Amino acid sequence: MDIQDRNKLLLELKTSLFLPPFNEELYSTCTTDHQKSIREIQEIYKLRNDPELADKIKPIISLKIKDVERTKRVQLAYLMHRINKIQSQYFIDSGQLSNDHLDQLSKNEKDYYKFFDQLVKRYENDIETKVSQNIIPPSEVFIEVRVIKQIGNIITQDGDELDLEEGTQQLVKKSDVIKFLQEGSLVQI
């Protein structure tokens, strides 16, 4: 296989946001060339008993083996990158890949996605917790808020009293006021 073809296979992965469509043609070319190189090695190896060719065969076989290993590494890197991307996108999308993403997958990758989805759901049932949810840790513990609607006094998680009067602006723990942010009584500044 041409080195440029191998590099093109990996370069496609680097230049796309999610995954490019599976390049069946280039991947098949890799496989065909890989098998061809193995057959060539076997044919050359048969000549090892010829005293005139014995010394010339070793470097040729060594070079061919390196080429086979390189092609194999490229193919494995291509597949592993795609699998890792599918798994990470699964959790980013909260357990449901978009149709745009699904269109980029090969038939085997779609089968893998379905299997992975079933595996995660079975695990979630076993531990009774949803792990496929996109859970991002808060970037800020304390936030500044403005009170839009009168709330009054609340007790924080630390047991302190917090007075949230309309029109005031305060620095508070986000976890103490998340409910009020969601209902629109507070606005983060």
Side-chain angles (χ1 to χ4, degrees):
M1 169 172 224
D2 190 280
I3 291 172
Q4 291 175 337
D5 287 342
R6 282 192 295 240
N7 289 343
K8 184 180 176 187
L9 194 63
L10 294 178
L11 189 61
E12 283 181 355
L13 297 175
K14 288 183 178 182
T15 58
S16 65
L17 293 175
F18 173 60
L19 286 174
F22 190 86
N23 194 331
E24 188 67 46
E25 180 184 337
L26 207 51
Y27 193 83
S28 294
T29 302
C30 274
T31 303
T32 303
D33 289 347
H34 181 255
Q35 292 167 346
K36 179 182 169 193
S37 293
I38 289 174
R39 283 191 299 275
E40 288 174 1
I41 291 169
Q42 291 169 338
E43 290 300 317
I44 294 170
Y45 189 72
K46 290 177 184 176
L47 302 173
R48 75 184 181 284
N49 294 330
D50 186 341
E52 293 178 18
L53 299 176
D55 290 338
K56 296 176 184 175
I57 290 174
K58 288 180 184 177
I60 294 171
I61 288 178
S62 178
L63 192 62
K64 289 280 186 188
I65 288 173
K66 294 282 184 203
D67 187 53
V68 167
E69 289 173 347
R70 193 174 306 115
T71 302
K72 186 169 42 173
R73 281 195 307 271
V74 166
Q75 287 183 295
L76 287 172
Y78 184 75
L79 294 175
M80 284 307 298
H81 178 81
R82 293 182 70 85
I83 287 172
N84 290 336
K85 198 72 166 177
I86 291 166
Q87 289 177 356
S88 65
Q89 194 65 40
Y90 176 87
F91 289 105
I92 289 170
D93 291 346
S94 298
Q96 187 63 41
L97 287 182
S98 69
N99 287 335
D100 292 338
H101 289 153
L102 286 172
D103 291 342
Q104 306 293 60
L105 305 182
S106 70
K107 181 192 176 309
N108 289 336
E109 289 171 331
K110 288 177 183 175
D111 291 342
Y112 173 78
Y113 166 72
K114 289 175 188 171
F115 171 76
F116 185 73
D117 182 48
Q118 291 168 355
L119 190 65
V120 170
K121 286 188 174 31
R122 197 170 343 138
Y123 179 69
E124 288 175 341
N125 287 337
D126 289 348
I127 64 168
E128 297 176 357
T129 302
K130 188 158 178 66
V131 296
S132 60
Q133 226 171 351
N134 187 7
I135 301 172
I136 300 172
S139 57
E140 306 166 322
V141 175
F142 289 93
I143 59 170
E144 194 169 349
V145 295
R146 179 172 291 123
V147 182
I148 303 299
K149 295 179 187 170
Q150 179 68 28
I151 297 172
N153 291 336
I154 63 166
I155 304 296
T156 65
Q157 293 175 351
D158 298 333
D160 298 326
E161 193 173 304
L162 181 62
D163 187 21
L164 298 173
E165 292 188 27
E166 187 175 347
T168 61
Q169 198 170 305
Q170 299 185 33
L171 184 67
V172 296
K173 273 190 178 178
K174 188 172 184 175
S175 59
D176 290 335
V177 296
I178 192 78
K179 179 179 106 181
F180 302 114
L181 286 168
Q182 290 171 344
E183 66 185 32
S185 300
L186 301 176
V187 174
Q188 185 174 348
I189 300 173

